[in-house]
């Protein structure tokens, strides 16, 4: 709380006043500093029953003092620290800011009460003075010893005793007792209970995201007992729609989107992760396991494909495809996002604030931040096949059928006893392949180096690159001497596909449109460090001629970095480049190959093999290497002839008419789905993490070892002993252990917010010292302890059990109403909170009411109707292929999400774009929302089909009252009042000149407040 005009003035001034107690003049000086606010002496003699440091004092210090006298050492003024007891007391090594039981000698109180502009804290030019009540709190706190205590959220929760209440009959369980206790303490009582119609609509919308159908409502109204309600809740929890409902807020946290972000914002295949979330929630996967698999599923013993797909959580970070960027810089930005997201989701802390400096308010140091980053940093980011087993089965069935068809054609056309023109052409082609085949020897490097990627040698002698990559890579391969006494005539480079690479390779390029590509700029051969001249060679790529850009083999020996050799067309294919030696020579000594990859994007080879031959005039053949080897060795066998015939059938232009049926079958083969996952790097190639000064990528400093925040290292041990994580898996286990005092509270708070609109802690993403205190702290700790507990009374991390306990409570069954004046924000929950639904539930409710909703779980994202102009703002003005079939009416969760052009109807209702982790959606009320519901073509279509469905159900003899009533019940669940029914019928009759007046009635109902808010 220092003066900014004089860095050293405050501590000196403070000590002068406080250390001269023997001088009468000092007492005169001290009296000058008695509490004065706005020039008036403050009367703070009125007693305060109990001052709690965390509840009463810390918020004052955090609000007024921590920015200059908090954890951040660089920002700290005059060396005074007020966020710790040792920093505020001279006897503990700090300043004499707080003298226990002596407010009149405590510099903290003297400075905040001074009316001297130069002495008053906070400085008058930057901050208003403390209020009278705040000064009273500080005085009484110091008078009672000035003791600090750990922030409530950083202490391990202990299950409190369930409180006694006066109106025990109102309570249906412990949740109600904690809520009612707070109400009774405030002199309040619960309001009325919601009626059965509103309750069934509320619980259905909250648990499965769609309203109940009329038949379900009718059955429930016949028996509105607790038993019937419990059965209803259990059915909803067991519904596949439960996972779809609760996947939405989780995907907000995961910053899920179907595109990469930034300018180009091209599509990505990440929906398998979204489907994993839905399935995990439906299975009620324990939240600790749910968390571990998302953070480190790849590191689990014998990790399944599902567990690896789960790691897509941290692959949801944005991906920059700009041509001129440094890929490593944007990987760093992705890591920054991952640290902040992890802190928000599992600790409820704003860890991202410590990227550039020590946290201003919470005890999270700048180094702590990068130590936590180091725990997450040692992972590569490959792709993984994510096809559903049924898709894999269908692909295998079609592949087998194609193989059988190919063999039938080969036997009938190319290998039969009746000689024909096709057979003659095949015989000539096979003879040519045999005459051109060479014997190649695989060369295994004895040493490999690269600019960035890790080069590993496989059992087959190929080289696999993994890890980070840049726009300019140099691979250096040191080869062992060849024992053969023959001279080498050519070197062959085989570019091979691989499952771990983008689009199965063979390159490292991960940009859409270039996925799996590479760009070999130059290839050089050195023997004894002396260059050996290579001739322009051949490639297995057709039409590889000068001027054909990237496919011409001569590009790699022209000493021009901007020319090169790569693969045209579809990735995942294998190609070969043969480079003859200008002068054949023996390689009986160490020789070296240098490969340069230089492009405006990541362009290294991901999987390749080096071969040499001593045969004369070798060329690159298009047939597989295994067949060339058999031909070169002189093999003559029916099996080889059949294999050659298959290659000829697949590639020869003259065989195209015979391939029609096969090509049709091949077009039906489902394209492989490949999604983004994490993969821990091998121990031989750990990634080094450094602290970045001021958070700048270009200012790396010292190496930082992986570790949790020191704050939690001081909290204590787990029930199983010490846990000091050193890798991503250990960190994941720690996050959901009892050593992390926040995870249970944050998870419970998130669940509470799902049902009541606001959490027990309103600041959902911030449980730190700047957070709003919990409205029901004992309830928060009670539910947190139960959620984590594995005892008979614990929930063993079951979110379904937690949700069940909440919705079965009397608190949840309260009617929506006006909060009392004593609690205007309804934090004590005397009535059920009024709130608007999120846009996904609004649209899904309308679809369900209109009998349009398609109940299919999972699969690729879909494209409902939206204005064509939305995509005009996006880079390249991409098309929006509006669905025409049933996918047009799938649940809103499956709508294609484009970061730079979010789906308009959702964005209007505050849905996030997926660019960052969202712990709590905002909820606004704007005219544009009403206009969207009234005029958006998607909602007009729903209204039209809604009205049509009701009219068809009731038949042509139905009366207007009946139709109006069924429209009302389907959408709003309850029966309309007579006034409401009459108003709807009158409106219908006033619109009879319109070709579809019932559509207008449906449109009106869809625009009522009740249709989009909690009943």
């Amino acid at each position: 709380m220092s003066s900014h005009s004089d860095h050293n003035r405050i501590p000196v001034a403070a000590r002068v006043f406080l250390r001269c107690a023997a001088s009468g003049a000092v007492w005169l000086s001290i009296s000058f500093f008695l509490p004065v606010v706005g020039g008036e002496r403050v009367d703070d003699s009125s007693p305060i029953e109990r001052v709690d440091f965390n509840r009463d004092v810390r918020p004052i210090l955090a609000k007024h003092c921590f920015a200059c006298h908090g954890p951040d050492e660089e920002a700290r003024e005059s060396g005074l620290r007020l966020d710790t007891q040792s920093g505020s007391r001279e006897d503990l090594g700090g300043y004499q800011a707080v003298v226990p039981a002596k407010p009149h000698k405590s510099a903290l109180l003297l400075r905040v009460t001074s009316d001297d502009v130069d002495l008053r804290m906070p400085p008058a030019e930057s901050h208003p003075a403390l209020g009278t009540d705040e000064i009273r709190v500080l005085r009484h706190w110091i008078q009672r010893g000035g003791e600090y205590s750990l922030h409530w959220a950083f202490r391990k929760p202990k299950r409190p005793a369930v409180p006694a209440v006066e109106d025990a009959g109102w309570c249906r369980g412990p949740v109600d007792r904690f809520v009612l206790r707070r109400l009774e303490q405030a002199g309040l009582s619960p309001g009325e209970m919601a009626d059965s119609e509103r309750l069934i609509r509320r619980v259905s919308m909250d648990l499965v995201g769609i309203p109940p159908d009329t038949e379900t409502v009718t059955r429930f109204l016949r028996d509105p007992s607790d038993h019937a309600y419990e059965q209803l809740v259990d059915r909803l929890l067991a519904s596949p729609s439960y996972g779809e409902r609760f996947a939405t807020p989780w995907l907000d946290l995961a910053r899920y989107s179907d595109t990469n972000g930034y300018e180009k914002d091209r599509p990505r295949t990440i929906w398998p992760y979204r489907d994993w979330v839905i399935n995990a929630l439906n299975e009620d996967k324990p939240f600790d396991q749910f968390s571990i698999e998302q953070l480190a599923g790849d590191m689990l013993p014998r990790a399944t494909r599902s567990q690896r797909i789960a790691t897509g959580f941290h692959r949801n970070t944005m991906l920059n495809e700009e041509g001129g960027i440094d890929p490593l810089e944007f990987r760093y930005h992705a890591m920054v996002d991952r640290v902040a997201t992890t802190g928000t989701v599992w600790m409820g802390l704003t860890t991202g604030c410590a990227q550039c400096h020590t946290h201003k308010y919470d005890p999270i140091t700048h180094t702590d931040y990068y130590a936590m980053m180091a725990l997450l940093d040692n992972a590569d980011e490959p792709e993984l096949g994510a096809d559903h087993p049924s898709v894999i089965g269908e692909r295998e069935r079609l592949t087998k059928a194609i193989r059988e068809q190919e063999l039938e054609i080969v036997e009938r056309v190319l290998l039969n006893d009746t000689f024909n023109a096709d057979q003659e052409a095949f015989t000539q082609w096979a003879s040519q392949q045999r005459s051109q085949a060479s014997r190649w020897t695989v060369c295994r490097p004895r040493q490999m180096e690269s600019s960035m990627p890790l080069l590993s040698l496989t059992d087959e002698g190929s080289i696999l690159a993994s890890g980070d990559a840049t726009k300019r890579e140099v691979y250096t391969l040191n080869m062992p001497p060849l024992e053969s006494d023959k001279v080498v005539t050519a070197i062959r480079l085989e570019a091979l596909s691989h499952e771990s690479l983008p689009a199965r390779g063979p390159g490292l390029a991960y940009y859409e449109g270039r996925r799996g590509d590479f760009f070999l700029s130059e290839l050089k051969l050195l023997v004894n460090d002396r260059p050996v001249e290579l001739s322009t060679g051949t490639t297995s790529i057709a039409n590889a001629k000068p001027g054909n850009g990237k496919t011409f083999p001569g590009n790699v020996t022209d000493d021009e970095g901007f020319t090169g050799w790569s693969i045209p067309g579809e990735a995942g294919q294998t190609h070969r480049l043969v480079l003859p030696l200008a002068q054949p020579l023996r390689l009986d000594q160490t020789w070296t190959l240098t490969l340069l990859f230089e492009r405006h994007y990541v362009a290294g080879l991901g999987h390749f093999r080096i071969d040499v031959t001593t045969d004369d005039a070798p060329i690159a053949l298009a047939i597989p290497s295994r067949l060339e080897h058999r031909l070169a060795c002189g093999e003559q066998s029916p099996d080889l002839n059949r294999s050659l015939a298959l290659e000829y059938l697949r590639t020869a232009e003259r065989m195209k008419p015979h391939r029609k049926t096969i090509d049709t079958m091949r077009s039906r083969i489902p394209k492989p789905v490949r999604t983004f996952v994490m993969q821990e790097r091998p121990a031989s190639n750990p990634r080094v993490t450094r602290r970045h000064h001021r958070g700048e990528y270009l200012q790396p400093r010292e190496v930082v070892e992986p570790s949790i925040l020191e704050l939690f290292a001081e909290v204590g041990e787990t029930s199983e002993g010490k846990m000091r994580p050193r890798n991503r898996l250990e960190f994941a286990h720690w996050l959901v252990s009892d050593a992390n005092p926040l995870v249970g509270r944050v998870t419970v708070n998130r669940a509470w917010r799902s049902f009541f609109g606001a959490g027990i802690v309103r600041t959902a993403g911030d449980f730190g010292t700047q957070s709003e205190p919990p409205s029901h702290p004992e309830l928060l700790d009670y539910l947190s302890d139960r959620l984590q507990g594995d005892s008979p009374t614990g929930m063993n991390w079951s979110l379904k059990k937690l949700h069940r306990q909440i919705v079965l409570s009397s608190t949840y069954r309260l009617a929506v109403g006006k909060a009392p004046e004593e609690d205007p924000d309804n934090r004590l929950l005397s009535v059920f909170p009024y709130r608007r639904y999120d846009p996904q539930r609004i649209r899904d409710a309308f679809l369900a009411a209109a009998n349009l909703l398609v109940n299919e779980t999972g699969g690729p994202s879909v494209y409902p109707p939206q204005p064509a102009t939305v995509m005009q703002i996006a880079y390249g003005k991409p098309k929006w292929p509006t669905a025409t079939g049933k996918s047009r009416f799938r649940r809103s969760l499956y709508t294609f999400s484009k970061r730079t052009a979010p789906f308009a109807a959702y964005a209007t209702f505050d849905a996030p774009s997926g660019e960052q982790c969202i712990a709590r959606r905002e909820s606004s009320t704007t005219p544009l929302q009403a206009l969207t519901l009234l005029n958006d073509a998607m909602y007009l279509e729903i209204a039209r089909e809604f009205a049509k469905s009701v009219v068809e159900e009731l038949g042509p003899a139905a009366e207007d009252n009946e139709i109006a009533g069924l429209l009302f019940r389907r959408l709003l669940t309850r029966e309309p009042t007579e006034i409401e029914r009459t108003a709807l019928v009158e409106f219908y009759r006033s619109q009879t000149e319109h070709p579809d007046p019932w559509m207008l009635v449906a449109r009106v109902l869809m625009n009522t407040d009740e249709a989009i808010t909690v009943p």
Side-chain angles (χ1 to χ4, degrees), residues 294-609:
Q294 291 183 79
L295 289 169
D298 58 295
M299 299 178 68
L300 293 170
R302 297 179 296 280
T304 65
R305 186 181 63 166
S306 173
Q307 289 169 331
R308 295 187 65 195
I309 289 173
T311 62
F313 176 86
H314 269 324
R315 290 302 309 277
N316 280 306
T317 48
M318 294 197 294
L319 180 65
N320 196 332
E321 299 178 275
E322 301 296 321
I325 62 136
D326 179 352
L328 297 183
E329 178 182 4
F330 282 88
R331 188 192 178 279
Y332 167 75
H333 292 320
M335 287 308 307
V336 166
D337 172 71
R338 288 166 187 168
V339 174
T341 297
T342 302
T344 297
V345 175
W346 284 279
M347 293 185 283
L349 294 179
T350 54
T351 53
C353 293
Q355 174 194 348
C356 305
H357 49 71
T358 292
H359 203 291
K360 297 290 186 183
Y361 303 103
D362 294 332
I364 305 173
T365 69
H366 190 36
T367 301
D368 273 350
Y369 175 90
Y370 288 97
M372 182 172 160
M373 179 182 285
L375 288 167
L376 300 169
D377 202 17
N378 194 43
D380 289 332
E381 302 176 0
E383 294 182 357
L384 176 71
D387 287 314
H388 190 274
S390 63
V391 174
I392 295 174
E394 176 67 4
R395 183 180 297 116
E396 291 174 347
R397 185 189 69 78
L398 286 170
T399 301
K400 181 181 178 182
I402 289 171
R403 174 73 174 182
E404 292 173 350
Q405 185 74 15
E406 287 178 331
L407 289 172
E408 189 274 330
I409 295 173
V410 163
E411 295 293 339
R412 175 168 50 83
V413 177
L414 298 179
L415 301 179
N416 62 18
D417 294 333
T418 304
F419 196 74
N420 57 51
D422 288 327
Q423 193 173 125
E424 180 180 6
F426 163 62
T427 302
Q428 292 176 352
W429 175 85
S431 177
Q432 181 185 38
Q433 302 302 310
R434 188 178 294 276
S435 65
Q436 294 176 335
S438 298
R439 287 167 294 184
W440 295 91
T441 301
V442 176
C443 296
R444 299 169 179 261
R446 64 166 50 166
Q447 185 179 4
M448 300 178 292
E449 296 179 357
S450 74
S451 307
M452 186 65 65
L454 172 67
L455 301 180
S456 304
L457 195 62
T458 71
D459 294 339
E460 294 77 26
S462 60
I463 300 162
L464 180 64
S466 61
D468 299 334
T470 64
K471 295 181 294 183
R472 188 182 191 277
E473 298 289 354
V474 178
Y475 296 173
T476 303
L477 311 177
N478 293 320
M479 300 293 192
L482 299 179
E483 298 179 358
S484 173
D485 58 357
K486 295 183 179 180
V487 295
V488 172
T489 57
I491 294 173
R492 183 172 70 177
L493 171 66
E494 294 186 89
L496 308 168
S497 64
H498 196 274
E499 279 296 322
S500 68
L501 300 175
R504 298 182 68 246
L508 296 174
Y510 54 81
Y511 304 128
E512 198 64 34
R514 301 189 184 98
R515 299 182 65 76
D517 198 1
F518 66 91
F519 191 86
L520 175 61
S521 301
E522 294 292 316
L523 185 149
K524 296 186 181 299
L525 168 64
L526 293 91
V527 178
N528 288 334
D529 296 327
R530 297 176 61 182
V532 173
E533 184 181 356
L534 299 173
S535 301
T536 298
T538 55
T539 174
S540 57
I541 301 171
N543 300 319
K545 300 176 182 179
N548 273 19
K550 299 188 296 180
T551 63
F552 180 54
N555 291 344
V556 304
T557 58
D558 61 3
D559 291 323
E560 297 287 352
F562 61 87
T563 64
W565 180 71
S566 68
I567 294 177
E570 187 176 354
Q573 305 296 314
T574 293
H575 287 283
R576 288 160 288 282
L577 171 67
V578 171
L579 295 173
L581 277 63
Q583 295 293 330
L585 76 159
R586 294 179 61 185
L587 297 180
D588 55 357
Q589 50 199 319
T590 300
W591 51 288
T592 302
L593 280 178
T594 302
L595 286 71
L596 169 66
F597 305 91
E598 191 168 25
R599 204 63 171 161
H600 60 278
Y601 55 88
V602 171
L605 260 172
H607 189 213
F608 61 101
R609 183 164 48 219

Side-chain angles (χ1 to χ4, degrees), residues 57 174 411 953:
V57 179
E411 295 293 339
E953 179 180 335

Side-chain angles (χ1 to χ4, degrees), residues 212-272:
D213 58 49
T214 54
E215 183 180 348
T216 301
V217 174
T218 301
R219 286 200 309 267
F220 180 69
L221 294 181
R222 290 173 184 157
D223 181 14
S225 65
D226 272 7
H227 180 67
Y229 179 67
E230 288 181 15
Q231 289 182 327
L232 169 68
V233 167
D234 289 338
R235 287 196 301 271
L236 294 173
L237 290 171
S239 167
S241 296
Y242 169 86
E244 294 173 315
R245 152 71 180 103
F246 284 98
T248 298
W250 185 261
L251 295 178
D252 285 356
L253 292 166
R255 59 266 192 256
Y256 175 86
S257 177
D258 293 298
T259 60
N260 288 332
Y262 294 110
E263 182 196 29
K264 290 182 173 58
D265 197 27
R266 291 189 175 115
R268 61 169 56 175
T269 302
I270 196 66
W271 59 262

Side-chain angles (χ1 to χ4, degrees), residues 648-921:
Y648 184 73
L649 171 64
R650 293 165 182 165
T651 59
E653 182 67 22
R654 71 172 295 123
M655 297 301 291
K656 194 171 183 179
H658 296 285
R659 295 198 302 263
K660 283 186 177 180
T661 304
I662 293 173
D663 290 343
T664 300
M665 295 172 66
R666 186 169 281 116
S667 67
R668 297 205 305 267
I669 296 179
K671 290 186 177 180
V673 173
R674 296 178 60 77
T675 191
F676 295 177
V677 297
M678 307 286 280
Q679 180 64 52
E680 190 71 359
R681 292 164 71 96
S684 60
N685 187 38
R687 181 178 282 113
V688 173
T689 304
R690 296 179 180 273
R691 180 183 66 84
H692 287 255
H693 184 59
R694 298 188 180 277
E696 291 286 346
Y697 167 70
L698 294 176
Q699 296 197 58
R701 293 293 192 265
E702 71 277 5
V703 174
V704 179
E705 294 298 319
S707 179
I708 56 173
L709 306 179
E710 282 302 313
L711 157 69
F712 296 113
E714 300 171 3
V715 170
E717 301 178 357
T718 70
S719 58
E720 300 176 356
K722 291 184 178 180
M723 282 187 72
R724 293 305 299 262
R726 295 300 177 189
N727 61 45
R728 189 160 40 94
L729 180 59
E730 292 177 1
F731 182 42
H733 279 285
W734 179 87
L735 281 170
V736 291
S737 73
D738 54 4
N740 177 6
L742 285 159
V743 63
R745 289 170 171 141
V746 170
T747 307
V748 165
N749 196 64
R750 188 178 298 131
W752 193 266
R753 188 181 69 254
S754 295
F755 297 107
F756 294 97
I760 297 173
V761 177
R762 193 187 291 270
T763 48
D766 185 4
F767 275 52
T769 57
Q770 289 289 90
S771 65
E772 179 181 299
S775 59
H776 300 78
E778 292 83 6
L779 173 59
L780 184 64
D781 283 1
Y782 174 85
L783 290 176
S784 173
D785 183 79
R786 279 209 63 201
L787 175 65
Q788 295 174 264
D790 56 5
S791 65
T793 59
M795 299 179 186
N796 198 23
W797 285 114
S798 167
L799 293 180
K800 284 190 176 182
K801 290 181 179 178
L802 174 62
H803 294 166
R804 186 179 192 274
Q805 180 164 6
I806 292 173
V807 301
L808 290 181
S809 67
S810 293
T811 305
Y812 179 77
R813 304 188 208 188
L814 286 168
V816 173
K818 183 180 179 181
E821 293 182 0
E822 297 89 342
D823 181 26
D825 292 332
N826 195 32
R827 296 296 286 142
L828 302 184
L829 297 174
S830 56
V831 295
F832 197 81
Y834 169 87
R835 71 182 191 279
R836 173 178 57 73
Y837 286 124
D838 57 77
Q840 284 88 347
R841 277 189 285 179
I842 291 172
R843 176 174 175 269
D844 291 345
F846 293 171
L847 289 172
N851 284 343
L852 291 173
L853 188 65
V854 176
N855 290 312
E856 291 182 0
T857 304
S861 297
V862 298
Y863 299 82
Q866 72 166 341
T869 53
V870 173
M871 302 305 286
Q872 297 301 304
I873 67 173
Y875 174 87
K877 299 181 180 180
K879 294 181 179 180
W880 181 265
T882 303
T884 56
K886 62 181 181 180
S887 64
R888 189 182 186 94
F889 305 118
R890 295 202 65 195
R891 286 196 68 149
S892 302
L893 171 71
Y894 301 112
T895 300
F896 187 86
S897 169
K898 185 173 179 64
R899 283 183 162 111
T900 56
F903 192 69
Y906 303 163
T908 302
F909 285 86
D910 308 302
S913 66
E915 293 172 290
Q916 59 186 357
C917 172
I918 299 297
R920 179 187 61 188
R921 288 190 184 187

Side-chain angles (χ1 to χ4, degrees), residues 27-34 36 41 113-116 119:
W27 292 110
L28 291 175
S29 300
I30 291 175
S31 66
F32 176 77
F33 286 109
L34 286 175
V36 176
R41 194 72 51 87
T113 57
S114 174
D115 60 359
D116 187 316
L119 295 177

